Amino acid sequence: GASLVLAMHPATAGESLPNKEIWGGAEVTAKTWSVYSGITAALYGPLEADGWRIRAVGGYGGYSYPKYPVTIRGYGAFADLLVGYQRQFGPVTLKGFAGLAFEDHTLLPFDPDTDVVGTEYGPKAVLEAWWTISPKAWLSLDLSWSSLYDSTYAARARAGYQFNDGLSAGLELAANGNPDYDGNRAGGFLRFAWSHGEISASVGAAVDRSRELGGYGTLNALFKY
């Protein structure tokens, strides 16, 4: 996917504004972990301008859950290939994407009672919003849905305050799930941003459908070029 993006919109000498961004990250809870990366390219101009985008994402993770008398261990791979559009409305930036999603789940030992197993492909939609409330305060919202395993969703909202050049801190709420799992998170984050990238980390509390409480942590880095 990354190769396709770069081939469609190669860098040219003399470009001063970034038209691509690449990122990677990791998440961990008491019973799950994942690593992922992706790339977004603006097809006809810089990333800051309105216009069409193409995005490719991929990752891998693991998880476990008890099922008497054993513990089921799952491993999943996932990937997206999406086309989207970015539009600026004053202090609000909106990005919408649609395309194809892929997931593959393997369970050891096999669990005959779950629907989230094997390989599936299906449509996916993503909405991202950023509101610059003031020079110091901002809000963001990320939503996604796919048809995989009869409906898979994710959502995250952040409220941040910039203390000095580039450094923000704030609170976040998140939820994600599918027919066999629902998880909710609440925590805090630190974010350091500059003209060509950002690094962020978050920690907090997580609870799932079974009301089991635990912690979570994330680390992400993004670079524009």
Side-chain angles (χ1 to χ4, degrees), residues 14 41 54 67 77 115 122 131 144 152 177-178 180 185 196 200 203 222:
I54 187 168
K67 188 170 184 181
D115 294 325
W131 178 19
S144 69
T152 298
N178 54 46
D180 283 357
R185 299 177 179 180
H196 282 69
S200 67
V203 295
L222 178 148

Side-chain angles (χ1 to χ4, degrees), residues 88-93:
Q88 188 82 24
F89 297 92
V92 176
T93 303

Side-chain angles (χ1 to χ4, degrees), residues 89-108:
F89 297 92
V92 176
T93 303
L94 293 179
K95 302 176 187 178
F97 289 86
L100 183 66
F102 153 87
E103 284 191 30
D104 178 77
H105 289 261
T106 301
L107 302 178
L108 300 173

Side-chain angles (χ1 to χ4, degrees), residues 13 24 53 75 81 100 104 113 120 127 142 151-152 174 213 218:
R53 306 285 189 269
Y75 301 91
L81 185 59
L100 183 66
D104 178 77
D113 297 322
E120 286 210 5
L127 177 65
D142 300 329
S151 187
T152 298
L213 184 65
T218 73

Side-chain angles (χ1 to χ4, degrees), residues 151 153 175-184 207-212:
S151 187
Y153 70 91
N176 66 290
N178 54 46
D180 283 357
Y181 172 85
D182 292 291
N184 299 286
V207 62
D208 61 20
R209 183 184 294 179
S210 64
R211 300 185 182 277
E212 184 171 354

Side-chain angles (χ1 to χ4, degrees), residues 87-94 129-135 137-140:
R87 181 70 184 273
Q88 188 82 24
F89 297 92
V92 176
T93 303
L94 293 179
W130 180 283
W131 178 19
T132 303
I133 302 172
S134 72
W138 53 270
L139 294 173
S140 69

